[in-house]
mmCIF file of all heavy atoms in Angstrom:
data_model
loop_
_atom_site.group_PDB
_atom_site.id
_atom_site.type_symbol
_atom_site.label_atom_id
_atom_site.label_comp_id
_atom_site.label_asym_id
_atom_site.label_seq_id
_atom_site.Cartn_x
_atom_site.Cartn_y
_atom_site.Cartn_z
ATOM 1 N N ASN A 66 -54.395 -11.643 -43.538
ATOM 2 C CA ASN A 66 -53.105 -12.158 -43.986
ATOM 3 C C ASN A 66 -53.167 -12.940 -45.284
ATOM 4 O O ASN A 66 -52.127 -13.307 -45.821
ATOM 5 C CB ASN A 66 -52.498 -13.048 -42.894
ATOM 6 C CG ASN A 66 -52.186 -12.256 -41.652
ATOM 7 O OD1 ASN A 66 -51.438 -11.299 -41.690
ATOM 8 N ND2 ASN A 66 -52.805 -12.636 -40.536
ATOM 9 N N ILE A 67 -54.360 -13.225 -45.775
ATOM 10 C CA ILE A 67 -54.469 -13.995 -47.013
ATOM 11 C C ILE A 67 -53.774 -13.221 -48.121
ATOM 12 O O ILE A 67 -54.005 -12.030 -48.299
ATOM 13 C CB ILE A 67 -55.944 -14.269 -47.369
ATOM 14 C CG1 ILE A 67 -56.552 -15.233 -46.356
ATOM 15 C CG2 ILE A 67 -56.061 -14.828 -48.784
ATOM 16 C CD1 ILE A 67 -58.036 -15.465 -46.527
ATOM 17 N N GLY A 68 -52.885 -13.917 -48.829
ATOM 18 C CA GLY A 68 -52.125 -13.253 -49.884
ATOM 19 C C GLY A 68 -51.333 -14.251 -50.706
ATOM 20 O O GLY A 68 -51.702 -15.423 -50.811
ATOM 21 N N SER A 69 -50.231 -13.793 -51.233
ATOM 22 C CA SER A 69 -49.436 -14.611 -52.153
ATOM 23 C C SER A 69 -48.809 -15.833 -51.486
ATOM 24 O O SER A 69 -48.482 -16.794 -52.164
ATOM 25 C CB SER A 69 -48.358 -13.754 -52.818
ATOM 26 O OG SER A 69 -47.502 -13.218 -51.829
ATOM 27 N N ASP A 70 -48.649 -15.812 -50.164
ATOM 28 C CA ASP A 70 -48.043 -16.947 -49.470
ATOM 29 C C ASP A 70 -49.057 -17.965 -48.955
ATOM 30 O O ASP A 70 -48.674 -18.978 -48.372
ATOM 31 C CB ASP A 70 -47.222 -16.452 -48.265
ATOM 32 C CG ASP A 70 -46.004 -15.654 -48.672
ATOM 33 O OD1 ASP A 70 -45.634 -15.698 -49.865
ATOM 34 O OD2 ASP A 70 -45.420 -14.998 -47.801
ATOM 35 N N THR A 71 -50.332 -17.726 -49.165
ATOM 36 C CA THR A 71 -51.359 -18.587 -48.596
ATOM 37 C C THR A 71 -51.251 -20.022 -49.100
ATOM 38 O O THR A 71 -51.375 -20.965 -48.313
ATOM 39 C CB THR A 71 -52.763 -18.015 -48.868
ATOM 40 O OG1 THR A 71 -52.844 -16.724 -48.266
ATOM 41 C CG2 THR A 71 -53.852 -18.907 -48.311
ATOM 42 N N LEU A 72 -50.994 -20.211 -50.371
ATOM 43 C CA LEU A 72 -50.884 -21.573 -50.909
ATOM 44 C C LEU A 72 -49.730 -22.326 -50.241
ATOM 45 O O LEU A 72 -49.854 -23.510 -49.916
ATOM 46 C CB LEU A 72 -50.728 -21.532 -52.434
ATOM 47 C CG LEU A 72 -51.005 -22.825 -53.183
ATOM 48 C CD1 LEU A 72 -52.405 -23.359 -52.902
ATOM 49 C CD2 LEU A 72 -50.815 -22.622 -54.679
ATOM 50 N N GLU A 73 -48.623 -21.635 -49.994
ATOM 51 C CA GLU A 73 -47.493 -22.268 -49.300
ATOM 52 C C GLU A 73 -47.857 -22.574 -47.848
ATOM 53 O O GLU A 73 -47.455 -23.608 -47.307
ATOM 54 C CB GLU A 73 -46.247 -21.391 -49.358
ATOM 55 C CG GLU A 73 -45.585 -21.395 -50.707
ATOM 56 C CD GLU A 73 -44.252 -20.673 -50.718
ATOM 57 O OE1 GLU A 73 -43.556 -20.656 -49.675
ATOM 58 O OE2 GLU A 73 -43.889 -20.129 -51.773
ATOM 59 N N GLN A 74 -48.604 -21.685 -47.203
ATOM 60 C CA GLN A 74 -49.051 -21.943 -45.824
ATOM 61 C C GLN A 74 -49.920 -23.198 -45.783
ATOM 62 O O GLN A 74 -49.794 -24.020 -44.870
ATOM 63 C CB GLN A 74 -49.866 -20.757 -45.284
ATOM 64 C CG GLN A 74 -49.066 -19.551 -44.942
ATOM 65 C CD GLN A 74 -48.380 -19.683 -43.585
ATOM 66 O OE1 GLN A 74 -48.347 -20.727 -42.964
ATOM 67 N NE2 GLN A 74 -47.823 -18.586 -43.140
ATOM 68 N N ILE A 75 -50.793 -23.333 -46.760
ATOM 69 C CA ILE A 75 -51.655 -24.520 -46.826
ATOM 70 C C ILE A 75 -50.810 -25.769 -47.034
ATOM 71 O O ILE A 75 -51.004 -26.784 -46.353
ATOM 72 C CB ILE A 75 -52.718 -24.358 -47.934
ATOM 73 C CG1 ILE A 75 -53.676 -23.216 -47.597
ATOM 74 C CG2 ILE A 75 -53.481 -25.663 -48.157
ATOM 75 C CD1 ILE A 75 -54.570 -22.786 -48.753
ATOM 76 N N ALA A 76 -49.855 -25.703 -47.948
ATOM 77 C CA ALA A 76 -48.980 -26.851 -48.211
ATOM 78 C C ALA A 76 -48.225 -27.257 -46.949
ATOM 79 O O ALA A 76 -48.126 -28.440 -46.613
ATOM 80 C CB ALA A 76 -48.003 -26.523 -49.341
ATOM 81 N N ARG A 77 -47.698 -26.284 -46.248
ATOM 82 C CA ARG A 77 -46.956 -26.563 -45.020
ATOM 83 C C ARG A 77 -47.860 -27.220 -43.976
ATOM 84 O O ARG A 77 -47.445 -28.132 -43.264
ATOM 85 C CB ARG A 77 -46.349 -25.272 -44.480
ATOM 86 C CG ARG A 77 -45.412 -25.494 -43.311
ATOM 87 C CD ARG A 77 -44.680 -24.249 -42.961
ATOM 88 N NE ARG A 77 -45.574 -23.335 -42.269
ATOM 89 C CZ ARG A 77 -45.194 -22.200 -41.737
ATOM 90 N NH1 ARG A 77 -43.949 -21.802 -41.851
ATOM 91 N NH2 ARG A 77 -46.056 -21.428 -41.113
ATOM 92 N N THR A 78 -49.110 -26.794 -43.902
ATOM 93 C CA THR A 78 -50.045 -27.360 -42.933
ATOM 94 C C THR A 78 -50.463 -28.775 -43.333
ATOM 95 O O THR A 78 -50.571 -29.654 -42.478
ATOM 96 C CB THR A 78 -51.276 -26.444 -42.785
ATOM 97 O OG1 THR A 78 -50.833 -25.129 -42.433
ATOM 98 C CG2 THR A 78 -52.225 -26.949 -41.722
ATOM 99 N N ILE A 79 -50.667 -29.013 -44.615
ATOM 100 C CA ILE A 79 -51.059 -30.350 -45.081
ATOM 101 C C ILE A 79 -49.978 -31.370 -44.751
ATOM 102 O O ILE A 79 -50.261 -32.477 -44.311
ATOM 103 C CB ILE A 79 -51.342 -30.355 -46.595
ATOM 104 C CG1 ILE A 79 -52.634 -29.584 -46.899
ATOM 105 C CG2 ILE A 79 -51.445 -31.782 -47.133
ATOM 106 C CD1 ILE A 79 -52.893 -29.365 -48.388
ATOM 107 N N ARG A 80 -48.722 -31.010 -44.945
ATOM 108 C CA ARG A 80 -47.602 -31.933 -44.732
ATOM 109 C C ARG A 80 -46.763 -31.525 -43.522
ATOM 110 O O ARG A 80 -45.544 -31.617 -43.530
ATOM 111 C CB ARG A 80 -46.725 -32.021 -45.974
ATOM 112 C CG ARG A 80 -47.354 -32.746 -47.134
ATOM 113 C CD ARG A 80 -47.435 -34.255 -46.896
ATOM 114 N NE ARG A 80 -47.948 -34.949 -48.053
ATOM 115 C CZ ARG A 80 -49.231 -35.206 -48.262
ATOM 116 N NH1 ARG A 80 -50.132 -34.822 -47.395
ATOM 117 N NH2 ARG A 80 -49.627 -35.841 -49.336
ATOM 118 N N ARG A 81 -47.420 -31.063 -42.472
ATOM 119 C CA ARG A 81 -46.729 -30.680 -41.245
ATOM 120 C C ARG A 81 -45.948 -31.883 -40.709
ATOM 121 O O ARG A 81 -46.418 -33.006 -40.712
ATOM 122 C CB ARG A 81 -47.750 -30.213 -40.214
ATOM 123 C CG ARG A 81 -47.121 -29.591 -38.988
ATOM 124 C CD ARG A 81 -48.164 -29.115 -38.026
ATOM 125 N NE ARG A 81 -48.841 -27.932 -38.535
ATOM 126 C CZ ARG A 81 -50.004 -27.504 -38.098
ATOM 127 N NH1 ARG A 81 -50.649 -28.160 -37.167
ATOM 128 N NH2 ARG A 81 -50.551 -26.426 -38.592
ATOM 129 N N GLY A 82 -44.730 -31.621 -40.255
ATOM 130 C CA GLY A 82 -43.897 -32.687 -39.704
ATOM 131 C C GLY A 82 -43.006 -33.347 -40.735
ATOM 132 O O GLY A 82 -42.205 -34.220 -40.411
ATOM 133 N N GLU A 83 -43.124 -32.941 -41.981
ATOM 134 C CA GLU A 83 -42.283 -33.467 -43.063
ATOM 135 C C GLU A 83 -41.390 -32.345 -43.571
ATOM 136 O O GLU A 83 -41.646 -31.172 -43.333
ATOM 137 C CB GLU A 83 -43.151 -33.971 -44.226
ATOM 138 C CG GLU A 83 -44.179 -35.015 -43.858
ATOM 139 C CD GLU A 83 -43.594 -36.360 -43.471
ATOM 140 O OE1 GLU A 83 -42.396 -36.601 -43.737
ATOM 141 O OE2 GLU A 83 -44.325 -37.174 -42.889
ATOM 142 N N TYR A 84 -40.328 -32.723 -44.262
ATOM 143 C CA TYR A 84 -39.522 -31.723 -44.966
ATOM 144 C C TYR A 84 -40.234 -31.423 -46.273
ATOM 145 O O TYR A 84 -40.548 -32.326 -47.046
ATOM 146 C CB TYR A 84 -38.109 -32.234 -45.244
ATOM 147 C CG TYR A 84 -37.250 -32.258 -44.017
ATOM 148 C CD1 TYR A 84 -37.004 -33.442 -43.337
ATOM 149 C CD2 TYR A 84 -36.679 -31.087 -43.523
ATOM 150 C CE1 TYR A 84 -36.225 -33.463 -42.202
ATOM 151 C CE2 TYR A 84 -35.899 -31.095 -42.385
ATOM 152 C CZ TYR A 84 -35.674 -32.287 -41.731
ATOM 153 O OH TYR A 84 -34.904 -32.306 -40.598
ATOM 154 N N ASN A 85 -40.513 -30.145 -46.513
ATOM 155 C CA ASN A 85 -41.200 -29.689 -47.720
ATOM 156 C C ASN A 85 -40.458 -28.494 -48.277
ATOM 157 O O ASN A 85 -40.052 -27.616 -47.513
ATOM 158 C CB ASN A 85 -42.631 -29.237 -47.387
ATOM 159 C CG ASN A 85 -43.440 -30.298 -46.696
ATOM 160 O OD1 ASN A 85 -43.735 -31.321 -47.277
ATOM 161 N ND2 ASN A 85 -43.785 -30.063 -45.446
ATOM 162 N N TYR A 86 -40.310 -28.444 -49.588
ATOM 163 C CA TYR A 86 -39.693 -27.271 -50.198
ATOM 164 C C TYR A 86 -40.188 -27.095 -51.627
ATOM 165 O O TYR A 86 -40.532 -28.058 -52.302
ATOM 166 C CB TYR A 86 -38.160 -27.352 -50.152
ATOM 167 C CG TYR A 86 -37.554 -28.537 -50.885
ATOM 168 C CD1 TYR A 86 -37.108 -28.414 -52.201
ATOM 169 C CD2 TYR A 86 -37.403 -29.760 -50.254
ATOM 170 C CE1 TYR A 86 -36.538 -29.488 -52.866
ATOM 171 C CE2 TYR A 86 -36.834 -30.829 -50.903
ATOM 172 C CZ TYR A 86 -36.402 -30.702 -52.213
ATOM 173 O OH TYR A 86 -35.848 -31.764 -52.869
ATOM 174 N N VAL A 87 -40.246 -25.843 -52.053
ATOM 175 C CA VAL A 87 -40.669 -25.516 -53.415
ATOM 176 C C VAL A 87 -39.564 -25.961 -54.364
ATOM 177 O O VAL A 87 -38.391 -25.651 -54.159
ATOM 178 C CB VAL A 87 -40.925 -24.004 -53.565
ATOM 179 C CG1 VAL A 87 -41.300 -23.666 -55.003
ATOM 180 C CG2 VAL A 87 -42.018 -23.550 -52.602
ATOM 181 N N SER A 88 -39.928 -26.707 -55.381
ATOM 182 C CA SER A 88 -38.952 -27.219 -56.339
ATOM 183 C C SER A 88 -39.637 -27.437 -57.676
ATOM 184 O O SER A 88 -40.721 -26.883 -57.924
ATOM 185 C CB SER A 88 -38.344 -28.537 -55.819
ATOM 186 O OG SER A 88 -37.253 -28.936 -56.623
ATOM 187 N N LEU A 89 -38.999 -28.230 -58.504
ATOM 188 C CA LEU A 89 -39.526 -28.587 -59.826
ATOM 189 C C LEU A 89 -39.913 -27.332 -60.608
ATOM 190 O O LEU A 89 -39.191 -26.334 -60.574
ATOM 191 C CB LEU A 89 -40.694 -29.572 -59.688
ATOM 192 C CG LEU A 89 -40.378 -30.844 -58.883
ATOM 193 C CD1 LEU A 89 -41.652 -31.621 -58.592
ATOM 194 C CD2 LEU A 89 -39.370 -31.710 -59.602
ATOM 195 N N GLU A 90 -41.045 -27.361 -61.297
ATOM 196 C CA GLU A 90 -41.408 -26.253 -62.187
ATOM 197 C C GLU A 90 -41.640 -24.938 -61.455
ATOM 198 O O GLU A 90 -41.324 -23.871 -61.990
ATOM 199 C CB GLU A 90 -42.660 -26.610 -63.004
ATOM 200 C CG GLU A 90 -42.460 -27.731 -63.997
ATOM 201 C CD GLU A 90 -42.716 -29.117 -63.425
ATOM 202 O OE1 GLU A 90 -42.947 -29.240 -62.206
ATOM 203 O OE2 GLU A 90 -42.685 -30.082 -64.218
ATOM 204 N N SER A 91 -42.158 -24.974 -60.227
ATOM 205 C CA SER A 91 -42.398 -23.721 -59.489
ATOM 206 C C SER A 91 -41.091 -22.981 -59.230
ATOM 207 O O SER A 91 -40.998 -21.775 -59.457
ATOM 208 C CB SER A 91 -43.110 -23.995 -58.160
ATOM 209 O OG SER A 91 -44.434 -24.395 -58.380
ATOM 210 N N ALA A 92 -40.091 -23.696 -58.737
ATOM 211 C CA ALA A 92 -38.803 -23.061 -58.456
ATOM 212 C C ALA A 92 -38.120 -22.628 -59.749
ATOM 213 O O ALA A 92 -37.621 -21.498 -59.845
ATOM 214 C CB ALA A 92 -37.898 -24.012 -57.673
ATOM 215 N N LEU A 93 -38.107 -23.499 -60.718
ATOM 216 C CA LEU A 93 -37.421 -23.178 -61.981
ATOM 217 C C LEU A 93 -38.070 -21.999 -62.692
ATOM 218 O O LEU A 93 -37.385 -21.180 -63.299
ATOM 219 C CB LEU A 93 -37.378 -24.415 -62.882
ATOM 220 C CG LEU A 93 -36.543 -25.572 -62.330
ATOM 221 C CD1 LEU A 93 -36.725 -26.816 -63.188
ATOM 222 C CD2 LEU A 93 -35.078 -25.186 -62.222
ATOM 223 N N SER A 94 -39.379 -21.889 -62.594
ATOM 224 C CA SER A 94 -40.081 -20.750 -63.177
ATOM 225 C C SER A 94 -39.688 -19.457 -62.456
ATOM 226 O O SER A 94 -39.426 -18.442 -63.103
ATOM 227 C CB SER A 94 -41.587 -20.976 -63.091
ATOM 228 O OG SER A 94 -42.283 -19.865 -63.597
ATOM 229 N N GLU A 95 -39.634 -19.498 -61.117
ATOM 230 C CA GLU A 95 -39.236 -18.298 -60.363
ATOM 231 C C GLU A 95 -37.817 -17.862 -60.691
ATOM 232 O O GLU A 95 -37.517 -16.677 -60.725
ATOM 233 C CB GLU A 95 -39.355 -18.551 -58.857
ATOM 234 C CG GLU A 95 -40.770 -18.399 -58.365
ATOM 235 C CD GLU A 95 -40.846 -18.290 -56.855
ATOM 236 O OE1 GLU A 95 -40.062 -17.515 -56.267
ATOM 237 O OE2 GLU A 95 -41.701 -18.986 -56.290
ATOM 238 N N TYR A 96 -36.944 -18.825 -60.892
ATOM 239 C CA TYR A 96 -35.552 -18.503 -61.223
ATOM 240 C C TYR A 96 -35.377 -18.076 -62.674
ATOM 241 O O TYR A 96 -34.316 -17.607 -63.064
ATOM 242 C CB TYR A 96 -34.635 -19.702 -60.955
ATOM 243 C CG TYR A 96 -34.416 -20.012 -59.499
ATOM 244 C CD1 TYR A 96 -34.632 -21.290 -59.012
ATOM 245 C CD2 TYR A 96 -33.976 -19.042 -58.603
ATOM 246 C CE1 TYR A 96 -34.420 -21.595 -57.670
ATOM 247 C CE2 TYR A 96 -33.762 -19.327 -57.270
ATOM 248 C CZ TYR A 96 -33.985 -20.614 -56.816
ATOM 249 O OH TYR A 96 -33.776 -20.906 -55.496
ATOM 250 N N GLY A 97 -36.406 -18.259 -63.503
ATOM 251 C CA GLY A 97 -36.309 -17.917 -64.916
ATOM 252 C C GLY A 97 -35.554 -18.961 -65.717
ATOM 253 O O GLY A 97 -35.088 -18.696 -66.815
ATOM 254 N N ILE A 98 -35.432 -20.162 -65.174
ATOM 255 C CA ILE A 98 -34.703 -21.239 -65.840
ATOM 256 C C ILE A 98 -35.596 -21.958 -66.845
ATOM 257 O O ILE A 98 -35.115 -22.542 -67.809
ATOM 258 C CB ILE A 98 -34.109 -22.209 -64.791
ATOM 259 C CG1 ILE A 98 -33.026 -21.458 -64.000
ATOM 260 C CG2 ILE A 98 -33.545 -23.460 -65.427
ATOM 261 C CD1 ILE A 98 -32.472 -22.214 -62.823
ATOM 262 N N ILE A 99 -36.883 -21.909 -66.622
ATOM 263 C CA ILE A 99 -37.827 -22.363 -67.645
ATOM 264 C C ILE A 99 -38.711 -21.172 -67.986
ATOM 265 O O ILE A 99 -38.975 -20.327 -67.145
ATOM 266 C CB ILE A 99 -38.673 -23.577 -67.198
ATOM 267 C CG1 ILE A 99 -39.537 -23.246 -65.979
ATOM 268 C CG2 ILE A 99 -37.813 -24.792 -66.936
ATOM 269 C CD1 ILE A 99 -40.497 -24.351 -65.586
ATOM 270 N N SER A 100 -39.118 -21.110 -69.226
ATOM 271 C CA SER A 100 -39.904 -19.961 -69.670
ATOM 272 C C SER A 100 -41.360 -20.066 -69.249
ATOM 273 O O SER A 100 -42.075 -19.072 -69.225
ATOM 274 C CB SER A 100 -39.809 -19.827 -71.190
ATOM 275 O OG SER A 100 -40.249 -21.012 -71.808
ATOM 276 N N GLN A 101 -41.790 -21.266 -68.901
ATOM 277 C CA GLN A 101 -43.174 -21.498 -68.498
ATOM 278 C C GLN A 101 -43.434 -20.841 -67.139
ATOM 279 O O GLN A 101 -42.657 -21.009 -66.201
ATOM 280 C CB GLN A 101 -43.378 -23.006 -68.400
ATOM 281 C CG GLN A 101 -44.735 -23.454 -68.061
ATOM 282 C CD GLN A 101 -44.785 -24.985 -68.000
ATOM 283 O OE1 GLN A 101 -43.835 -25.632 -67.610
ATOM 284 N NE2 GLN A 101 -45.917 -25.533 -68.391
ATOM 285 N N ILE A 102 -44.493 -20.079 -67.033
ATOM 286 C CA ILE A 102 -44.868 -19.453 -65.763
ATOM 287 C C ILE A 102 -46.076 -20.204 -65.221
ATOM 288 O O ILE A 102 -47.114 -20.284 -65.884
ATOM 289 C CB ILE A 102 -45.199 -17.960 -65.949
ATOM 290 C CG1 ILE A 102 -43.967 -17.219 -66.441
ATOM 291 C CG2 ILE A 102 -45.721 -17.377 -64.650
ATOM 292 C CD1 ILE A 102 -44.230 -15.769 -66.782
ATOM 293 N N LEU A 103 -45.912 -20.761 -64.024
ATOM 294 C CA LEU A 103 -47.011 -21.507 -63.422
ATOM 295 C C LEU A 103 -47.997 -20.546 -62.771
ATOM 296 O O LEU A 103 -47.612 -19.701 -61.983
ATOM 297 C CB LEU A 103 -46.482 -22.472 -62.361
ATOM 298 C CG LEU A 103 -45.568 -23.587 -62.862
ATOM 299 C CD1 LEU A 103 -45.192 -24.497 -61.704
ATOM 300 C CD2 LEU A 103 -46.245 -24.396 -63.944
ATOM 301 N N MET A 104 -49.252 -20.711 -63.115
ATOM 302 C CA MET A 104 -50.303 -19.898 -62.526
ATOM 303 C C MET A 104 -51.151 -20.807 -61.643
ATOM 304 O O MET A 104 -51.589 -21.864 -62.087
ATOM 305 C CB MET A 104 -51.180 -19.285 -63.621
ATOM 306 C CG MET A 104 -50.421 -18.406 -64.602
ATOM 307 S SD MET A 104 -49.612 -17.008 -63.846
ATOM 308 C CE MET A 104 -51.003 -15.994 -63.464
ATOM 309 N N ASP A 105 -51.355 -20.401 -60.410
ATOM 310 C CA ASP A 105 -52.221 -21.132 -59.485
ATOM 311 C C ASP A 105 -51.816 -22.590 -59.297
ATOM 312 O O ASP A 105 -52.665 -23.460 -59.131
ATOM 313 C CB ASP A 105 -53.684 -21.066 -59.943
ATOM 314 C CG ASP A 105 -54.212 -19.656 -59.938
ATOM 315 O OD1 ASP A 105 -53.722 -18.857 -59.131
ATOM 316 O OD2 ASP A 105 -55.105 -19.354 -60.745
ATOM 317 N N ARG A 106 -50.518 -22.872 -59.336
ATOM 318 C CA ARG A 106 -50.023 -24.229 -59.111
ATOM 319 C C ARG A 106 -48.694 -24.131 -58.379
ATOM 320 O O ARG A 106 -47.850 -23.317 -58.721
ATOM 321 C CB ARG A 106 -49.838 -24.973 -60.427
ATOM 322 C CG ARG A 106 -49.437 -26.420 -60.233
ATOM 323 C CD ARG A 106 -49.453 -27.162 -61.579
ATOM 324 N NE ARG A 106 -49.552 -28.578 -61.414
ATOM 325 C CZ ARG A 106 -50.644 -29.276 -61.152
ATOM 326 N NH1 ARG A 106 -51.792 -28.653 -61.007
ATOM 327 N NH2 ARG A 106 -50.620 -30.568 -61.024
ATOM 328 N N LEU A 107 -48.522 -24.966 -57.378
ATOM 329 C CA LEU A 107 -47.306 -24.988 -56.586
ATOM 330 C C LEU A 107 -46.770 -26.409 -56.580
ATOM 331 O O LEU A 107 -47.492 -27.342 -56.212
ATOM 332 C CB LEU A 107 -47.617 -24.524 -55.156
ATOM 333 C CG LEU A 107 -46.459 -24.484 -54.173
ATOM 334 C CD1 LEU A 107 -45.434 -23.424 -54.581
ATOM 335 C CD2 LEU A 107 -46.980 -24.195 -52.773
ATOM 336 N N THR A 108 -45.521 -26.577 -57.002
ATOM 337 C CA THR A 108 -44.898 -27.901 -56.993
ATOM 338 C C THR A 108 -43.946 -27.975 -55.809
ATOM 339 O O THR A 108 -43.049 -27.155 -55.668
ATOM 340 C CB THR A 108 -44.166 -28.187 -58.317
ATOM 341 O OG1 THR A 108 -43.238 -27.146 -58.595
ATOM 342 C CG2 THR A 108 -45.145 -28.317 -59.471
ATOM 343 N N VAL A 109 -44.185 -28.973 -54.956
ATOM 344 C CA VAL A 109 -43.465 -29.096 -53.695
ATOM 345 C C VAL A 109 -42.871 -30.496 -53.584
ATOM 346 O O VAL A 109 -43.572 -31.491 -53.806
ATOM 347 C CB VAL A 109 -44.433 -28.861 -52.500
ATOM 348 C CG1 VAL A 109 -43.719 -29.044 -51.174
ATOM 349 C CG2 VAL A 109 -45.067 -27.479 -52.595
ATOM 350 N N MET A 110 -41.605 -30.562 -53.225
ATOM 351 C CA MET A 110 -40.978 -31.842 -52.884
ATOM 352 C C MET A 110 -41.219 -32.060 -51.397
ATOM 353 O O MET A 110 -41.139 -31.116 -50.609
ATOM 354 C CB MET A 110 -39.479 -31.820 -53.179
ATOM 355 C CG MET A 110 -39.127 -31.678 -54.643
ATOM 356 S SD MET A 110 -39.685 -33.031 -55.699
ATOM 357 C CE MET A 110 -38.639 -34.354 -55.146
ATOM 358 N N THR A 111 -41.505 -33.303 -51.018
ATOM 359 C CA THR A 111 -41.820 -33.619 -49.628
ATOM 360 C C THR A 111 -41.262 -34.980 -49.244
ATOM 361 O O THR A 111 -41.153 -35.868 -50.095
ATOM 362 C CB THR A 111 -43.341 -33.589 -49.382
ATOM 363 O OG1 THR A 111 -43.596 -33.843 -48.000
ATOM 364 C CG2 THR A 111 -44.083 -34.619 -50.218
ATOM 365 N N THR A 112 -40.931 -35.129 -47.969
ATOM 366 C CA THR A 112 -40.577 -36.448 -47.461
ATOM 367 C C THR A 112 -41.848 -37.225 -47.113
ATOM 368 O O THR A 112 -41.785 -38.400 -46.786
ATOM 369 C CB THR A 112 -39.662 -36.344 -46.223
ATOM 370 O OG1 THR A 112 -40.304 -35.536 -45.231
ATOM 371 C CG2 THR A 112 -38.313 -35.740 -46.596
ATOM 372 N N GLY A 113 -42.988 -36.569 -47.183
ATOM 373 C CA GLY A 113 -44.285 -37.211 -46.945
ATOM 374 C C GLY A 113 -44.825 -37.843 -48.218
ATOM 375 O O GLY A 113 -44.108 -38.004 -49.213
ATOM 376 N N ARG A 114 -46.110 -38.145 -48.186
ATOM 377 C CA ARG A 114 -46.743 -38.789 -49.335
ATOM 378 C C ARG A 114 -46.910 -37.831 -50.502
ATOM 379 O O ARG A 114 -47.094 -36.637 -50.311
ATOM 380 C CB ARG A 114 -48.129 -39.298 -48.963
ATOM 381 C CG ARG A 114 -48.134 -40.456 -48.015
ATOM 382 C CD ARG A 114 -49.529 -40.893 -47.727
ATOM 383 N NE ARG A 114 -50.335 -39.702 -47.423
ATOM 384 C CZ ARG A 114 -51.595 -39.708 -47.076
ATOM 385 N NH1 ARG A 114 -52.238 -40.827 -46.990
ATOM 386 N NH2 ARG A 114 -52.243 -38.608 -46.808
ATOM 387 N N LYS A 115 -46.883 -38.404 -51.700
ATOM 388 C CA LYS A 115 -47.193 -37.603 -52.883
ATOM 389 C C LYS A 115 -48.689 -37.367 -52.911
ATOM 390 O O LYS A 115 -49.459 -38.061 -52.246
ATOM 391 C CB LYS A 115 -46.727 -38.307 -54.149
ATOM 392 C CG LYS A 115 -47.533 -39.537 -54.492
ATOM 393 C CD LYS A 115 -47.083 -40.132 -55.804
ATOM 394 C CE LYS A 115 -48.030 -41.288 -56.147
ATOM 395 N NZ LYS A 115 -47.893 -41.718 -57.499
ATOM 396 N N GLY A 116 -49.105 -36.389 -53.657
ATOM 397 C CA GLY A 116 -50.526 -36.125 -53.788
ATOM 398 C C GLY A 116 -50.780 -34.772 -54.403
ATOM 399 O O GLY A 116 -49.875 -33.937 -54.491
#
Side-chain angles (χ1 to χ4, degrees):
N66 296 302
I67 292 174
S69 60
D70 293 346
T71 300
L72 197 57
E73 285 188 30
Q74 286 280 10
I75 295 168
R77 188 171 75 174
T78 304
I79 290 172
R80 289 288 184 269
R81 189 178 288 162
E83 304 291 346
Y84 286 102
N85 304 294
Y86 61 95
V87 177
S88 189
L89 305 170
E90 293 89 354
S91 290
L93 295 172
S94 178
E95 279 195 47
Y96 289 128
I98 293 173
I99 62 174
S100 57
Q101 183 180 34
I102 297 174
L103 296 183
M104 301 300 288
D105 297 331
R106 185 172 201 79
L107 180 66
T108 54
V109 178
M110 295 297 291
T111 183
T112 56
R114 291 181 313 183
K115 70 176 185 166

